[in-house]
Amino acid sequence: MADSTQHRTRAIDLVGQRFGRLTVIKRQGTKKNGNAAWLCQCDCGNKVVVDGYAMRHGVVNSCGCIRRENSQRLAKQNTAFIAQQHNGAQTLKNEDGVYYASLHRGKRNRSGVVGVSFDRASGRWATRLFYQGRYVLLKMCDSYQEAVQLRREAEKKYLGKHKQ
């Protein structure tokens, strides 16, 4: 029976080497897939841990800044995208400027009330209402009933005729 350590290879030391915009600083352990992980400094200033194989084979060559720059450049050249950006916020609101999300319960809502949810970390109920670009209600409550009551009061005050 062959010893399983025979097939292991030593990681290539990449400290100080450059790959695209990344300069390798130090070894940062091993990824779940068995590849060496390396802490790298990107030219933009960010630090990122990168899979050594992906970096050596040109799959990863920045912290993500190249992708962001390319996306921004392409978005600025796309007239349809620009037009939608300017009108996009309006499609989320009704004719009076009230966000539809503040008016209608979505499929993922589990509390049964728009703007009320349970926060598992604190064990409390969160209630919120976003109106005209800001939160007019953002509070944690000990009971579901209190959260619903605060939400209903805020709806009457800010949404008035829009809430049924």
Side-chain angles (χ1 to χ4, degrees), residues 11-152:
I12 302 166
D13 186 10
L14 302 177
V15 174
Q17 293 187 38
R18 284 185 59 87
F19 298 89
R21 293 185 182 179
L22 297 174
T23 302
V24 180
I25 299 172
K26 69 176 185 174
R27 173 86 186 257
Q28 194 73 22
T30 304
K31 295 278 193 178
K32 288 182 181 178
N33 62 8
N35 293 343
W38 298 91
L39 177 65
C40 299
Q41 176 83 41
C42 187
D43 289 350
C44 73
N46 289 334
K47 289 186 179 176
V48 64
V49 176
V50 180
D51 181 302
Y53 180 87
M55 189 169 44
R56 286 184 294 123
H57 288 86
V59 176
V60 177
N61 53 20
S62 77
C63 67
C65 61
I66 292 175
R67 181 181 299 220
R68 286 188 297 275
E69 289 168 8
N70 287 338
S71 294
Q72 289 172 353
R73 181 180 47 78
L74 291 171
K76 288 177 183 175
Q77 295 172 357
N78 186 334
T79 55
F81 177 77
I82 293 168
Q84 180 60 34
Q85 264 194 313
H86 294 295
N87 297 329
Q90 295 306 315
T91 61
L92 301 174
K93 300 177 188 177
N94 68 11
E95 66 280 355
D96 295 321
V98 177
Y99 285 94
Y100 289 114
S102 293
L103 302 173
H104 303 288
R105 185 166 62 102
K107 292 183 213 174
R108 297 183 311 159
N109 183 301
R110 294 183 186 201
S111 73
V113 178
V114 176
V116 175
S117 60
F118 185 72
D119 179 48
R120 289 184 188 161
S122 67
R124 300 178 74 200
W125 289 90
T127 184
R128 61 186 64 82
L129 176 62
F130 195 75
Y131 180 72
Q132 294 185 344
R134 65 183 181 91
Y135 279 104
V136 293
L137 173 65
L138 185 59
K139 188 168 181 175
M140 299 299 283
C141 303
D142 292 323
S143 74
Y144 172 77
Q145 292 79 11
E146 180 187 5
V148 171
Q149 181 182 351
L150 288 172
R151 171 65 191 208
R152 296 288 185 238

